[in-house]
Amino acid sequence: MKNLVVSAVLLLACHPLCAETIRLDWLERQVTPPPVLSNLTGDPADLGLAGARLSVADIATTGKFLKIDWDLHETIVAPEDDFLTAAKKTLAEGAKVLIVRAPAADLLALADLPEARGALIFNTAAPDQKLRDEDCRANVLHTIPSLAMRSDALAQLLLKKGWGHLALITGPQPEDRAFAEALKASLTKFGLALAGEKDWPLTSDMRRSGAAEVPLFTQDLPDHDVLLVADERGDFARYIPFNTWLPRPVAGSEGLSAKGWTEVVEDYGAAQLQDRFRVAASRPMQDEDFAAWVAVAAISDARTRAGKADPETLRSFLLSDKARIAAFLGQPVSFRPWDGQMRQPMPLVTDRAVVAMAPLEGFLHAENELDTLGTDRPETHCTAFGATP
């Protein structure tokens, strides 16, 4: 009996010094890739998840000093399985902070579950503008850039270069039309003009006929400085450069693009992150990998500085002015308190180099120049965060 009492006393004495275990959950909805004409390699099987895994490994070192163990649970839902059933099971098992890779519809269904009411969800894959506007949810933060952030970054560079007359080719897919609408809104926002536009008819295999069909297709477009292309699946846009009727640069989904992250980002210590990722995943880091990586980094930073890991404390801290997360982009990132979107610099890149980093010099804002990219507070239609439209 005496030994039992001593053991109990020692256990209680050890408690403040023992490690705190914090559960994180990766929840992924696999989607059957749609048919495309190109047979180039598709997305890697661990897209996004590899970024979360690396970030957990990165914060483990700090965790040792703070007596914190980070425990990543991985749930991957096959295309034929029910996403919400898997989500409910994960929540019932104790998930409170979820890093999610899923289409917008699944993300919203998850956020609306009664079981998820007190959870904190990080969207690392769905760029849909509605998720930041009328379909926003108070329990969802976004680390993947919105379509508006991408298009605003591109529009800033076009304006800076004096390329004010533009043409647009839009693909047939819903995501193409969504990006095209974001591009048009950004052109209007920054005072640029769309000289002409055409819809791409996905009727032929461009691998053999691009050199013949693209000049004919672009021949009747009015004169323009830059040709914008909205082809989010990468199905036809790669055949546009150097095949157009007029010799013009290409931007948007191909050519000059605005991305949340890409392998060509190397400054501000990014090269070290890129190297660690290549070693861990045996491939370059993509934007969804970075979105998952920075979600975990934000959670860790909030836990360290706020002192607690419950969802409400994490959320409150991340939406406050105190949140400044190091993300290898030249300045700290943070979250907009009116729609939950992570504000970040946007690399404007080609396949092999960073051309510029938006926001560009001269694009000013009363509070935060990063808010020149995407939906600013006066423009928001999100009311779930208490913002006034």
Side-chain angles (χ1 to χ4, degrees):
M1 183 68 179
K2 182 179 179 180
N3 290 336
L4 290 176
V5 172
V6 172
S7 297
V9 171
L10 290 175
L11 182 61
L12 290 172
C14 169
H15 181 71
L17 302 176
C18 292
E20 171 192 6
T21 298
I22 300 177
R23 172 173 175 151
L24 301 177
D25 277 82
W26 172 263
L27 181 59
E28 177 179 348
R29 164 54 124 178
Q30 291 185 329
V31 178
T32 302
V36 292
L37 294 179
S38 174
N39 59 3
L40 292 181
T41 303
D43 290 336
D46 61 351
L47 182 62
L49 177 56
R53 287 171 175 169
L54 177 65
S55 197
V56 169
D58 287 347
I59 65 176
T61 301
T62 303
K64 289 180 180 179
F65 291 100
L66 298 176
K67 303 296 183 181
I68 298 173
D69 286 335
W70 296 94
D71 185 17
L72 181 65
H73 294 243
E74 301 174 9
T75 302
I76 300 177
V77 185
E80 66 274 13
D81 293 336
D82 185 72
F83 178 74
L84 285 186
T85 298
K88 290 178 181 178
K89 183 175 183 293
T90 300
L91 291 164
E93 291 173 348
K96 295 181 180 179
V97 180
L98 298 94
I99 303 144
V100 179
R101 181 176 185 247
D106 289 319
L107 184 74
L108 284 176
L110 166 65
D112 288 340
L113 285 174
E115 298 91 332
R117 190 167 298 158
L120 181 60
I121 300 166
F122 289 83
N123 167 31
T124 68
D128 308 57
Q129 199 58 41
K130 286 186 177 181
L131 293 177
R132 287 84 171 164
D133 283 319
E134 58 267 28
D135 285 342
C136 69
R137 298 293 187 269
N139 56 350
V140 179
L141 304 182
H142 311 274
T143 55
I144 194 76
S146 66
L147 293 177
M149 291 172 67
R150 290 172 52 200
S151 58
D152 280 356
L154 184 58
Q156 286 190 8
L157 184 63
L158 295 173
L159 183 60
K160 190 81 170 180
K161 293 286 188 181
W163 295 334
H165 298 283
L166 307 152
L168 171 65
I169 297 175
T170 303
Q173 307 302 334
E175 55 265 45
D176 301 337
R177 292 191 291 272
F179 185 43
E181 288 305 313
L183 286 169
K184 292 177 185 179
S186 293
L187 299 186
T188 300
K189 178 178 179 178
F190 289 99
L192 300 170
L194 193 61
E197 60 180 306
K198 295 189 73 172
D199 291 333
W200 181 262
L202 202 56
T203 57
S204 61
D205 189 339
M206 297 300 293
R207 288 173 292 180
R208 296 186 178 181
S209 58
E213 293 194 21
V214 172
L216 293 175
F217 182 78
T218 58
Q219 184 176 4
D220 61 346
L221 284 171
D223 193 14
H224 50 276
D225 300 317
V226 176
L227 178 58
L228 302 174
V229 182
D231 173 27
E232 293 295 87
R233 295 184 185 178
D235 202 16
F236 67 89
R238 63 174 61 107
Y239 306 105
I240 301 295
F242 301 102
N243 279 325
T244 54
W245 182 259
L246 295 174
R248 299 292 185 266
V250 174
S253 298
E254 185 68 29
L256 180 67
S257 303
K259 297 182 178 293
W261 188 267
T262 172
E263 62 179 303
V264 299
V265 175
E266 296 180 322
D267 292 337
Y268 312 113
Q272 286 73 28
L273 177 61
Q274 303 278 25
D275 288 344
R276 294 201 307 276
F277 187 86
R278 287 190 184 95
V279 170
S282 301
R283 61 175 179 82
M285 193 178 210
Q286 299 185 27
D287 51 0
E288 288 188 32
D289 297 309
F290 179 76
W293 181 92
V294 77
V296 174
I299 295 164
S300 174
D301 187 72
R303 163 59 186 85
T304 300
R305 298 174 62 191
K308 296 180 181 180
D310 62 280
E312 183 54 38
T313 298
L314 295 176
R315 180 183 181 278
S316 296
F317 180 86
L318 291 173
L319 292 175
S320 73
D321 294 337
K322 298 176 183 178
R324 294 174 61 82
I325 301 106
F328 304 101
L329 286 169
Q331 55 182 301
V333 303
S334 57
F335 289 84
R336 292 178 177 135
W338 55 88
D339 63 4
Q341 173 65 54
M342 188 181 79
R343 49 166 78 94
Q344 65 161 89
M346 294 291 293
L348 289 148
V349 302
T350 63
D351 287 341
R352 294 178 60 82
V354 175
V355 175
M357 189 75 78
L360 277 69
E361 185 178 356
F363 291 88
L364 305 178
H365 191 276
E367 297 180 9
N368 190 327
E369 291 179 5
L370 291 176
D371 289 333
T372 63
L373 303 174
T375 305
D376 200 2
R377 189 190 297 269
E379 305 162 350
T380 186
H381 296 288
C382 174
T383 58
F385 286 74
T388 302

